[in-house]
């Protein structure tokens, strides 16, 4: 019973440390009760299934409370995400337990830290990708603590959290063995230093950082269209009229960019007819009135064909001999009428993609989650597209879920994006922590890349975020309106943009090496 209580406490500590309602200091101690429970089991030689069960209890508690808001969009999707993510986290912890029985405390601690970051890296890469609870995201509401993310990315935060957890855990074990309170005093001082130094460094960076680049004026549109009752029952003509009205309430002759949210145009747009679409004509019409501006918006598009040579991995079958590619896209219109398209490439599992289709389709059939009328697999593109103005200002068209991926976003910056435009539709989750967390994660991307962000969200929260991750201005949830402001365009490249998730790659190497070492050592003993 004691171990069960410890497991639940760990889950609750991780939960109350999570944005946007929590205080991240709790993350530094969140794993300790679970680690103590695992140590108790290891000493008493209980079964691996008990470790797995206790770990699952911890991670299920954390997942269900922190991401249970997914239920508002899809009950199946929420339970799948919570149950599977909790299981994978538990398997990571079980692997640590196996290694810890065969190696020293120091080696097993390094292994757990590295293995966890390897798991987080996997969550950024595999088809069941769900990096929402990657530990480095936990500081998203306290950006003054993590200005050094421009050097480490969010994996620096994960490493920081685990380092304090393991050092504290070691001190507790020593205290339980020797019953000497000075061990706890020294541990408190040591942890205070380890926690404080990165925060002090961050504050110094924050107070000395000067935003780079010149100002551009942006007008961000927030149409506030309910995706369940209005979105797919509203034609593009009415959307165009609404966006025109919103724009004219705020745009001026000095406006450089007009930005509308993800899939705001969703009225059966054909890829081969885009140049004559209502969506593009809306953009051109707006720019006739504001000749210095550029229009960036989201659009749903399909490409229907009967040529089997065009079939790709993500192509959908309409009926025998007829196929179609379904796109969640962004388009860009310049004052001269020229335009470009970008297709979203980091997709929501089960809603926009069918993970490991060749393996799962024979088992579950063509099962996709119906989310507001979207049931088809989305087609992506390989490169991170950057839209350029005629005077060479580059804007990154980041669509919704893509903004959660740090290294992915650096691809836009390496392709010369001078600022980031995040277009999204967070209304699926209702007025929950979902849209608030999503907004807060955008602040991490600003710090990592030192790029200002213009965020257009269908129902909110739309925002302008500066290069240090501060929200300069915002438009609240479920409000229809515009947000006008200035942001700076920046050409400088941060170390993280150049190096990417190098911490995670080192962690993968170390975790594999230690695992093989522990297995070999066990065999030699036998």
């Amino acid at each position: 019973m004691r171990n069960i209580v410890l497991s639940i406490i760990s889950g609750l500590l991780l939960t109350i440390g999570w944005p946007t309602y929590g205080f991240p200091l709790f993350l530094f101690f969140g794993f300790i009760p679970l680690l103590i429970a695992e140590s108790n089991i290891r000493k008493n030689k209980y079964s691996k299934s008990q470790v797995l069960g206790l770990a699952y209890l911890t991670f299920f508690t954390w997942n269900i409370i922190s991401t249970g808001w997914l239920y508002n969009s899809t009950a199946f999707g929420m339970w799948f995400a919570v149950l599977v993510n909790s299981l994978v986290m538990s398997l990571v912890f079980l692997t640590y337990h196996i290694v810890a029985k065969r190696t020293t405390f120091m080696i097993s601690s390094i292994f757990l830290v590295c293995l966890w970051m390897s798991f987080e890296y996997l969550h950024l890469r595999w088809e069941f990708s769900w990096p929402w609870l990657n530990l480095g995201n936990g500081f998203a509401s306290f950006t003054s603590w993590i200005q050094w993310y421009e050097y480490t990315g969010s994996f620096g935060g994960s490493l920081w959290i685990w380092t304090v957890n393991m050092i504290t855990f070691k001190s507790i074990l020593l205290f339980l063995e020797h019953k000497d309170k000075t061990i706890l005093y020294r541990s408190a001082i040591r942890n205070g230093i380890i926690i404080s130094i990165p925060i002090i460094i961050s504050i110094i960076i924050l107070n000395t950082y000067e935003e780079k680049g010149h100002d551009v004026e942006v007008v961000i549109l927030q149409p506030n269209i309910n995706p369940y009752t209005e979105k797919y029952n509203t034609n593009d003509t009415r959307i165009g009229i609404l966006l025109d009205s919103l724009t004219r309430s705020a745009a001026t002759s000095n406006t450089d960019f007009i930005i509308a949210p993800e899939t705001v145009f969703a009225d059966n747009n054909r890829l081969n007819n885009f140049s004559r679409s209502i969506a593009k004509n809306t953009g051109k019409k707006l720019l006739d009135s504001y000749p210095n501006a550029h229009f960036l918006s989201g659009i749903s598009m399909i490409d229907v064909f009967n040529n089997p040579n065009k079939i790709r991995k993500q192509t959908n079958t309409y009926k025998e001999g007829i196929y179609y590619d379904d796109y969640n896209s962004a388009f860009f219109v310049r004052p001269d009428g020229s335009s470009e398209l970008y297709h979203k490439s980091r997709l929501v599992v089960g809603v926009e993609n069918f993970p490991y289709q060749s393996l799962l389709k024979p088992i579950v059939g063509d099962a996709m989650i119906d989310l507001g009328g979207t049931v088809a697999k989305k087609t992506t593109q390989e490169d991170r597209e950057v839209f350029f103005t005629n005077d060479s200002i580059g804007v990154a068209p980041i669509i919704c879920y893509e903004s959660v991926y740090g290294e992915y976003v650096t691809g836009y910056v390496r392709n010369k994006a001078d600022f980031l435009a995040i277009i999204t539709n967070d209304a699926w989750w209702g007025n929950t922590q979902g849209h608030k967390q999503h907004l807060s994660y955008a602040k991490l991307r600003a710090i990592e890349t030192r790029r200002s962000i213009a965020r257009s969200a269908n129902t909110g929260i739309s925002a302008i975020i500066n290069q240090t991750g501060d929200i300069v201005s915002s438009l609240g949830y479920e409000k229809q309106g515009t947000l006008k402001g200035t942001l700076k365009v920046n050409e400088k490249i941060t170390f993280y943009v150049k190096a990417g998730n190098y911490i995670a790659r080192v962690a993968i190497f170390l975790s594999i090496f230690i695992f093989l070492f522990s297995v070999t050592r066990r065999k030699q003993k036998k």
Side-chain angles (χ1 to χ4, degrees), residues 73 101 166 176 256 265 310-311 475 491:
S73 61
K101 292 194 298 184
M166 297 311 296
L176 293 174
D256 297 292
F265 293 98
K310 291 180 61 178
I311 295 176
L475 184 59
E491 297 179 352

Side-chain angles (χ1 to χ4, degrees), residues 398-451:
I398 302 169
I399 303 176
C400 191
Y401 191 50
E402 294 180 326
S403 64
V404 182
Y405 295 79
E407 189 174 54
Y408 181 88
V409 170
T410 66
Y412 294 103
V413 178
R414 289 193 298 275
N415 286 340
K416 302 189 182 303
D418 300 310
F419 77 95
L420 312 179
I422 297 176
I423 60 175
T424 186
N425 179 19
D426 297 342
W428 308 111
W429 312 319
N431 193 5
T432 64
Q433 279 295 313
H435 75 270
K436 297 174 184 177
Q437 291 172 356
H438 195 199
L439 169 63
S440 69
Y441 294 169
K443 297 190 289 183
L444 304 179
R445 308 291 86 83
I447 296 169
E448 291 167 347
T449 63
R450 293 304 182 191
R451 293 296 187 271

Side-chain angles (χ1 to χ4, degrees), residues 292-444:
N292 295 318
H294 303 76
F295 185 66
L296 192 159
S297 176
I299 183 172
S300 291
M301 309 187 76
I302 60 171
D303 181 25
V304 181
F305 56 91
N306 56 15
N307 182 357
N309 294 324
K310 291 180 61 178
I311 295 176
R312 291 182 277 182
K313 180 181 178 181
Q314 296 152 329
T315 295
N316 302 276
T317 301
Y318 177 64
K319 59 183 180 181
E320 187 176 355
I322 304 295
Y323 312 96
Y324 68 98
D325 288 326
D326 194 348
Y327 298 94
N328 182 348
S329 306
F331 70 94
F332 189 67
V333 183
R334 301 181 184 86
D336 61 7
S338 61
S339 61
E340 290 182 63
L341 285 166
Y342 165 71
H343 305 305
K344 182 181 180 182
S345 299
R346 274 286 184 263
L347 305 177
V348 181
V349 176
V351 177
E352 296 179 317
N353 78 334
F354 194 152
Y356 301 107
Q357 186 177 165
S358 60
L359 176 65
L360 295 179
K361 190 169 183 178
I363 300 172
V364 300
D366 212 4
M368 298 295 290
I369 300 168
D370 187 348
L371 187 59
T374 302
V375 295
K377 300 182 293 292
K378 300 295 182 183
T379 302
T380 63
Q381 67 178 64
E382 290 186 10
D383 297 328
R384 306 288 66 74
E385 189 81 23
V386 176
F387 297 146
F388 289 96
T389 66
N390 290 331
D391 53 354
S392 300
I393 295 175
V395 52
I398 302 169
I399 303 176
C400 191
Y401 191 50
E402 294 180 326
S403 64
V404 182
Y405 295 79
E407 189 174 54
Y408 181 88
V409 170
T410 66
Y412 294 103
V413 178
R414 289 193 298 275
N415 286 340
K416 302 189 182 303
D418 300 310
F419 77 95
L420 312 179
I422 297 176
I423 60 175
T424 186
N425 179 19
D426 297 342
W428 308 111
W429 312 319
N431 193 5
T432 64
Q433 279 295 313
H435 75 270
K436 297 174 184 177
Q437 291 172 356
H438 195 199
L439 169 63
S440 69
Y441 294 169
K443 297 190 289 183
L444 304 179

Side-chain angles (χ1 to χ4, degrees), residues 63-365:
N63 276 264
I64 192 66
I65 300 176
S66 298
T67 61
W69 43 263
L70 281 166
Y71 187 89
N72 285 38
S73 61
T74 163
F76 174 83
M78 185 278 286
W79 285 115
F80 183 87
V82 168
L83 294 175
V84 173
N85 202 44
S86 300
L87 177 61
V88 178
M89 288 178 170
S90 301
L91 291 173
V92 170
F93 198 78
L94 176 62
T95 307
Y96 155 72
H97 168 73
I98 294 169
V99 170
K101 292 194 298 184
R102 307 179 183 188
T103 58
T104 66
F105 178 88
M106 177 64 73
I107 292 175
S108 63
S109 297
I110 294 173
F111 176 73
L112 176 55
V113 174
C114 292
L115 185 64
W116 189 274
M117 289 193 289
S118 300
F119 150 71
E120 291 190 339
Y121 187 78
L122 172 68
H123 247 339
L124 294 168
R125 312 282 294 190
W126 71 329
E127 291 184 25
F128 279 116
S129 179
W130 177 240
W132 205 269
L133 293 182
N134 281 12
L135 288 173
N137 296 338
F139 300 103
S141 296
F142 287 74
T143 52
S144 61
W145 293 17
I146 51 165
Q147 292 297 310
W148 37 268
Y149 271 23
E150 68 170 294
Y151 300 101
T152 69
S154 64
F155 279 97
S158 298
L159 178 60
W160 190 24
I161 289 169
W162 268 115
T163 299
V164 176
N165 271 276
M166 297 311 296
I167 289 175
T168 306
F169 174 50
K170 177 62 174 178
S171 299
I172 291 173
L173 291 181
L174 290 173
F175 170 74
L176 293 174
E177 180 181 355
H178 300 289
K179 306 300 181 183
D180 183 356
K181 290 184 179 180
T182 58
I183 294 173
L184 297 181
Y185 299 148
R186 288 197 300 267
S187 175
I189 294 172
R190 187 186 307 114
N191 286 333
I193 293 172
I194 295 172
I195 294 172
S196 298
I197 288 178
I199 295 176
I200 292 170
I201 292 172
S202 178
I203 292 173
I204 292 172
I205 294 173
L206 180 63
N207 289 332
T208 56
Y209 183 83
E210 293 184 7
E211 285 203 287
K212 313 293 192 302
H214 64 273
D215 290 342
V216 295
E217 182 177 284
V218 296
V219 170
I220 298 169
L221 310 182
Q222 186 168 301
N224 193 32
I225 300 167
N226 188 305
Y228 292 106
T229 60
E230 296 179 78
K231 184 178 179 65
Y232 294 96
N233 296 311
T234 303
N235 61 42
D236 282 355
T237 299
R238 292 175 60 188
I239 292 295
I241 293 171
L242 173 59
L243 298 186
D244 182 85
S245 175
L246 291 173
T247 300
R248 294 183 188 282
S249 69
T252 68
S253 59
N254 295 321
T255 298
D256 297 292
F257 295 91
I258 301 164
I259 303 173
E262 176 190 19
T263 61
V264 68
F265 293 98
D267 189 12
N268 194 31
N269 290 286
R270 299 298 181 100
L271 182 65
N272 60 2
N273 195 43
F274 172 71
S275 62
R276 298 182 296 277
S277 67
I278 294 173
K280 181 176 179 181
N281 287 334
T282 296
K284 291 172 64 177
K285 180 181 176 183
L286 286 174
L287 301 187
D288 286 341
S289 300
Y290 306 99
N292 295 318
H294 303 76
F295 185 66
L296 192 159
S297 176
I299 183 172
S300 291
M301 309 187 76
I302 60 171
D303 181 25
V304 181
F305 56 91
N306 56 15
N307 182 357
N309 294 324
K310 291 180 61 178
I311 295 176
R312 291 182 277 182
K313 180 181 178 181
Q314 296 152 329
T315 295
N316 302 276
T317 301
Y318 177 64
K319 59 183 180 181
E320 187 176 355
I322 304 295
Y323 312 96
Y324 68 98
D325 288 326
D326 194 348
Y327 298 94
N328 182 348
S329 306
F331 70 94
F332 189 67
V333 183
R334 301 181 184 86
D336 61 7
S338 61
S339 61
E340 290 182 63
L341 285 166
Y342 165 71
H343 305 305
K344 182 181 180 182
S345 299
R346 274 286 184 263
L347 305 177
V348 181
V349 176
V351 177
E352 296 179 317
N353 78 334
F354 194 152
Y356 301 107
Q357 186 177 165
S358 60
L359 176 65
L360 295 179
K361 190 169 183 178
I363 300 172
V364 300

